[in-house]
Amino acid sequence: AKCLNDAISKLEKAQEKSANAAEDAVQQMASLQGAGGAQAAMLQQLLAPLMSQAFSGKAAPTLRSLLSGRPATVVSPGTNLRDAGMVMADARKAALVVEDGELVGIFGFKDMMSRAIAKELPLELTSVSSVMTPNPESVIPDITVLDALQLMHDGKFLTLPVCESNGTVVGLVDVMDVIYGCGGAEGWRSVFDSAMDIADDGSDTVSVHSKRSAVGSIRSKRSSSVLQKKDERPVSKLRPKKPLISSVQDSVLSVSQMLANKRGDAALVTGVNGGLAGILTDTDITRRVVAKHLDPSSTNVSGVMTSNPTCVSMSDSAMDAMGTMVENRFRHLPVVDDSGAVVGLLDIAKCLNDA
């Protein structure tokens, strides 16, 4: 992580230099970090997309350019949670809480699930100020996407409020916005690839169901011999998270409480045959339950989950899996083993933090 952060800092300071100077900067940084030939070569590969953008004769895009034309998802401290949820559902963004023109808080999808739904708060009678995260960190709109990347990586932030130096709220960027700002799927292949170069300290995934899933997996078009190449390593190298499992018969309330207790943000939903039937995320709960005025205690997850989600197997190409997430803006991607058993969940934020 330190190697990535130091490299980003070095690249930003040298944005006006030539491509050769950029390479020299990375090599110098690697030397200062004590990186040997193999490590330096890996670092060069990791930073290739960012170097290409930073030294191609134009500056990296700023957050101002990413947010141009996008209205901010702003609510007041007195806005009730139902109304806040409807604003969030419409924009698919967290709500920025603003009072007298100043940012005073942020309220996200996970907050709605764990602080409101799981605790059975009356949404129409609860103000957002009582459950928001107060006084969040913010950034100015003129920082680059590389600056934002480093801040998200260091703080493990999923979102960053953006405000002018005088406090005027500009908007909000999330991890997917930054990924697109840095070049989309192709520009991020090497960055995500670095997560697989971490020493193998054992995956935290376990098989929880043995019956074959009915959903299709994204299968690599490459042959098994090609999969053995370093740049075509399997999904297992991304170290998917242990899955949090629920049933199609569970209520949204019970799943919200389970996720809140385990500090999760997505549940894989199994059907009566034990196979993967769907996925339910904190965003789904706001968009499909709160904004639709459904009762979480009497609504089954089967009615609001994403059915038959795209999934990957442990043996599929990791880069194909990450490309699927970036191109489709999936934050989560279920993982099954070759027999169809649910074994894990890829989270794009975890992959970024591991890089």
Side-chain angles (χ1 to χ4, degrees), residues 9-261:
S9 178
K10 195 77 175 179
L11 286 173
E12 288 174 328
K13 292 176 181 178
Q15 276 194 351
E16 299 304 319
K17 295 183 179 180
S18 67
N20 288 337
E23 294 174 4
D24 291 342
V26 174
Q27 291 170 1
Q28 178 186 1
M29 185 278 300
S31 176
L32 291 173
Q33 289 292 321
Q39 287 176 303
M42 186 217 30
L43 185 62
Q44 191 79 11
Q45 180 184 13
L46 164 66
L47 293 170
L50 302 184
M51 287 174 59
S52 175
Q53 178 166 280
F55 299 99
S56 62
K58 61 180 181 180
T62 65
L63 298 189
R64 188 185 301 279
S65 66
L66 292 187
L67 291 170
S68 177
R70 300 185 190 179
T73 50
V74 172
V75 299
S76 68
T79 302
N80 69 54
L81 295 185
R82 180 78 68 187
D83 290 342
M86 295 176 72
V87 171
M88 294 161 64
D90 185 56
R92 299 195 180 194
K93 296 283 186 183
L96 298 175
V97 187
V98 177
E99 184 174 31
D100 297 328
E102 297 288 330
L103 179 68
V104 297
I106 186 172
F107 184 67
F109 296 105
K110 191 171 183 179
D111 299 328
M112 178 71 83
M113 179 190 72
S114 59
R115 300 177 184 177
I117 300 299
K119 294 184 178 180
E120 302 184 75
L121 297 182
L123 301 184
E124 285 84 359
L125 301 178
T126 304
S127 65
V128 71
S129 62
S130 65
V131 289
M132 70 183 184
T133 298
N135 305 315
E137 292 187 35
S138 63
V139 296
I140 61 173
D142 297 317
I143 70 168
T144 68
V145 291
L146 296 180
D147 295 325
L149 164 65
Q150 183 162 359
L151 288 169
M152 286 182 161
H153 184 275
D154 291 350
K156 296 188 176 181
F157 299 140
L158 294 179
T159 58
L160 280 176
V162 182
C163 301
E164 301 283 6
S165 56
N166 64 3
T168 301
V169 174
V170 176
L172 181 83
V173 293
D174 59 30
V175 64
M176 299 306 294
D177 295 326
V178 174
I179 287 172
Y180 266 77
C182 287
E186 289 305 314
W188 273 85
R189 278 183 173 268
S190 293
V191 173
F192 287 129
D193 185 54
S194 71
M196 295 181 288
D197 285 314
I198 298 174
D200 188 3
D201 57 1
S203 174
D204 58 359
T205 62
V206 294
S207 177
V208 293
H209 291 280
S210 60
K211 295 185 179 179
R212 177 167 291 277
S213 169
V215 293
S217 168
I218 292 180
R219 301 294 179 181
S220 174
K221 296 180 180 179
R222 299 167 177 81
S223 66
S224 59
S225 62
V226 176
L227 270 173
Q228 300 306 312
K229 294 184 179 180
K230 185 173 183 289
D231 62 349
E232 291 298 338
R233 286 162 292 183
V235 165
S236 58
K237 281 302 211 175
L238 289 171
R239 302 186 302 171
K241 298 193 301 186
K242 180 179 179 179
L244 299 176
I245 304 296
S246 65
S247 164
V248 289
Q249 299 173 332
D250 291 336
S251 70
V252 171
L253 174 60
S254 66
V255 173
S256 297
Q257 292 171 336
M258 180 269 289
L259 289 174
N261 288 336

